[in-house]
Amino acid sequence: MSDKLKVLKGEPQTNDNGIGNSPSVRQGERTVLDNPARRPWPFAPSDTSPLAWWRTLPSDAFGDAERQHLLTTLKQIDVLHGSDDFAAALEGDPSAAIRVAFALMPIEKLTLKADIAMTALQLCALERNATAALVLAQVLGLTDLGHSFATDLAASWLVYGRRYAADPRKFHEAETVLLKAFRDRRRYGDDA
């Protein structure tokens, strides 16, 4: 029997160990959303499963140790009855990870399947793939993450992606569209 986590199509995708559940925000560390640079980040890697880091940690929270932990975590997962794209995403294929992320949109419920797929995308972004970072930012900014830091997370991945963009002009155009979507979503009360 394999030590890998097996995810079966059609089975419940959350468990009682916190995977799929929203992280709790530490009391006393919440400050005004309008000034993210002046406040401490409320989540740490030790607060939750590596599969939830995509929705709790900004890009600058990832050093070599965290990247290795994500890689090790994904290597221990088998997806049964999953698509070829899902399997390729778990192997680090950025194009497949992007297709899987778009196929999940809109993410209406945080599930184990979503956490696995988005962790694969996050790992691709951390490999300096600007497009993966852009898509991760889009998903973060348009998904109810169960906390009020979605816009800050999305912004951190936009900055990260911009740093590695092959064509900064095109990246900036896509970034502008996303920022407008985030502002519109927030204006209409859909932000977490």
Side-chain angles (χ1 to χ4, degrees), residues 2 13 21 29 31 49 62 67 70 74 77 86-87 113 121 133-134 138 173:
S2 171
Q13 302 295 311
N21 297 330
E29 292 187 356
T31 59
S49 160
F62 291 89
R67 289 174 195 212
L70 285 176
L74 288 181
I77 296 173
F86 208 98
K113 180 179 180 180
L121 179 67
L134 182 68
Q138 177 181 2
E173 290 170 4

Side-chain angles (χ1 to χ4, degrees), residues 62-74:
F62 291 89
D64 291 338
E66 290 80 15
R67 289 174 195 212
Q68 186 59 47
H69 200 57
L70 285 176
L71 186 60
T72 301
T73 299
L74 288 181

Side-chain angles (χ1 to χ4, degrees), residues 105-157:
M105 291 301 287
I107 297 176
E108 295 176 356
K109 183 177 179 188
L110 296 174
T111 64
L112 181 57
K113 180 179 180 180
D115 279 346
I116 292 169
M118 296 308 299
T119 297
L121 179 67
Q122 180 180 52
L123 196 54
C124 291
L126 287 167
E127 293 299 321
R128 299 179 176 176
N129 185 295
T131 306
L134 182 68
V135 172
L136 180 58
Q138 177 181 2
V139 173
L140 287 165
L142 299 175
T143 300
D144 179 358
L145 302 176
H147 57 75
S148 62
F149 299 92
T151 303
D152 294 338
L153 280 173
S156 83
W157 289 101

Side-chain angles (χ1 to χ4, degrees), residues 166-184:
D167 185 343
R169 185 184 56 76
K170 281 187 178 181
F171 192 91
H172 177 71
E173 290 170 4
E175 183 180 32
T176 301
V177 170
L178 280 183
L179 291 173
K180 181 184 180 320
F182 298 162
R183 278 192 302 273
D184 290 348

